[in-house]
Amino acid sequence: MTSPTSTTTLPRIGILGAGHVGPAIGRVAIEAGYPVSIAGSGDPAKIALITQILVPGAKADWPAQVAAEADIVILAIPLHKFNTFDPSLVAGKVVVDLMNYWAPIDGTQQLFEDPRYGSSEIVQRHLSGSRVVKSFNHAGYHEIEAERRPAGSPDRLALGVAGDDRKAVELVAALVENIGYDAVLLDSLHEGRILEPGGPVFGASLTKEQFAQVLTEKTAA
Amino acid sequence: MNDSPSLRTGFPLTFGLDTFGDVHSDENGTLNSHAQTIRNIVEQGVLADSVGIDFFGIGEHHTDDYPLSAGDLVLSAIAAQTRKIHLGSAVTVLSSDDPVRVFQRYSTLNALSSGRVEVILGRGSSIDSFPLFGYDLSDYEVLFEEKSELFAELLKGSPVTWTGTTRAALKDQDVVPHLEAESFPTWIGVGGSPQSVVRAARHGYNLILAIIGGSPARFQPFSNLYLEALEHFERPAQPIGVHSMGHVAATDEQAQEEFWPRYLAVMKHVSRTRGFAIPTPESFKHEIGPHGAIYVGSPETVARKIAANLRVLHASRFQLKFGMTGLAHTAVMNNIELYGTKVIPLVREILGSES
Ligand SMILES: NC(=O)c1ccc[n+]([C@@H]2O[C@H](COP(=O)([O-])OP(=O)(O)OC[C@H]3O[C@@H](n4cnc5c(N)ncnc54)[C@H](OP(=O)(O)O)[C@@H]3O)[C@@H](O)[C@H]2O)c1
């Protein structure tokens, strides 16, 4: 391990995807003290410059290496690439799914065209050896850095964290809190559907209280 | 860093106006027809020239509220009535077009306008052209990568040789009309994809940062990435631009009153198609404030904000997306006039006095 000793207590974040979203998450995770590795679809040389400038302090590596070393894998690839993603890469890992499915933007993806399930439930079914947690999907990547606030700030925003595995959810909730957001825990990936595009949380900047309000209204309706 | 942008990158400040061909309303509040919208854009381009604006750009769109699918034709009408202003796309959705045709159309316009063309290439955040022309959205990366590579070849002049998977290969092909002088300035518009920033540098394109929400300052790393990548590919320095939306009127209050209801209506529509929440008066206040991406207000307010963000982003070009859908034609013309006669001189003054 080459990470400084002060950070070795925090889990290693492995980001798969170096596009709009991956580096933005990597940057704030590093500033929160987490060791971070990042990969594009292949040779780390291709993302060396991006890593050096946009995620200073992160290690660029091959996807398999990033996944293998990570305690939390952040899956930040385009949804239309998911059907070619190899589940064995992340077997046994906690995987944060921040992908969104919205047909007008992504084109129709047959795999996700099942109204009974949320997109993260479908992701979990394919990554059967991983513990999938849905989070970070409903915030704009371009605001994730500017909207961070210390715990207790009146204008601190909330991010939903949904999953079927309590321990995994808590690990990701701690990441959310350490980055600078209140974590609102949802009991299952099925509940996590409220975080999807078209829902009341997506793209809305909500505090913990406003988030709770939305959840109550939803249950009452 | 407090360097003025022209000091940092060595490029003169230039200012543009961009339209997506938004449908506006007449004096009775009735929405204009597509045909009237197009004729009005010519009038706007001519006015922009007469008040000293450097660039007028038309963004390709294919929808009922943005009926500007053939912007280059509109630009040629503007070219015929103007002498100085540069004309171009903002953006050309290159992924769903043929680079050879794009080159032919804009080198023709360049001939007509005696060298006043600039092209801005985009991957296409406005995705309506993909189904229209039979392209699959899942292919947007390979389409844009290959086509931006071919376009860079075309700009070098004929004969052109190129092979790829997204169109027929070219072998020693003469593509006409030839350019008179060196190639016209070509930019890549980027909304936050670091791959696109690096691609712009790799092919030697200028960079336009399209900043449509959130804090403009957060784009600074992208400017740094671009400058760093140019060095990496051993290319000379090239200019960086910023594209953002806004509206200028005599006072802050008037500008906000005119803009907000139109913006809200457009965003309600966009929210439905994109699945995100509708803006609130509070989120709007934030966006038009110093840490937001929208430039709405009096000439002083807008000029101060432009100057601050050009400086932070090492940019020498600012392009205001003006004329939000549904605004009155008169308000739009007034905006163009104030931008040319008040905003631009003020920005020059603010940045000039620092250098
Ligand atoms: N836009 C937002 O604000 C926002 C917010 C939250 C969530 N999201 C979601 O975030 C996801 C990513 O979006 P994006 O805009 O960041 O995509 P993007 O800019 O297209 O970038 C995708 C990245 O994923 C990499 N990649 C593709 N396949 C891979 C694989 N099998 N293994 C590792 N890396 C791979 C690509 O690498 P190469 O370049 O090497 O192919 C590229 O670096 C989407 O599902 C989106 O819905 C977006």
Side-chain angles (χ1 to χ4, degrees), chain A residues 15-23 39-42 46-47 63 75-81 84-86 89 97-101 106 136-142 202, chain B residues 123 140-141 192-195:
Chain A
I15 299 175
L16 298 181
H20 297 77
V21 179
S41 63
K46 272 179 30 190
I47 61 164
L75 198 54
I77 68 175
L79 187 103
H80 64 257
K81 290 279 169 68
T84 58
F85 181 77
D86 175 7
L89 279 187
D97 171 23
L98 53 66
M99 298 183 293
N100 289 307
Y101 178 50
D106 298 299
F136 290 105
N137 72 298
H138 62 86
Y141 71 93
H142 54 274
F202 194 78
Chain B
R123 192 172 69 170
Y140 65 76
E141 294 108 339
S193 161
Q195 279 78 19

Side-chain angles (χ1 to χ4, degrees), chain A residues 20 23-24 27-28 31 49-56 141-142 145-146 148, chain B residues 8 190 192-195 197-198 207 209 211 215-230 240 309 311-314:
Chain A
H20 297 77
R27 201 176 163 92
V28 292
E31 284 177 16
L49 211 50
I50 291 171
T51 306
Q52 180 199 326
I53 310 254
L54 299 186
V55 210
Y141 71 93
H142 54 274
E145 189 168 345
R148 293 172 298 171
Chain B
R8 168 76 200 239
V190 171
S193 161
Q195 279 78 19
V197 172
V198 174
L207 181 74
L209 301 166
I211 306 182
S215 158
R218 77 191 146 77
F219 271 78
Q220 194 188 48
F222 289 90
S223 298
N224 295 338
L225 177 62
Y226 178 66
L227 297 174
E228 204 63 43
L230 284 172
I240 297 172
N309 287 324
R311 195 187 304 127
V312 175
L313 298 169
H314 313 311

Side-chain angles (χ1 to χ4, degrees), chain A residues 23 36 39 56 67 78 80 85 89 94-95 104 113 118 123 142 149 156 168 201 213:
Chain A
V36 171
H80 64 257
F85 181 77
L89 279 187
V94 172
V95 174
E113 280 290 323
V123 167
H142 54 274
R149 297 289 182 277
R156 180 156 141 132
V201 176
Q213 182 69 28

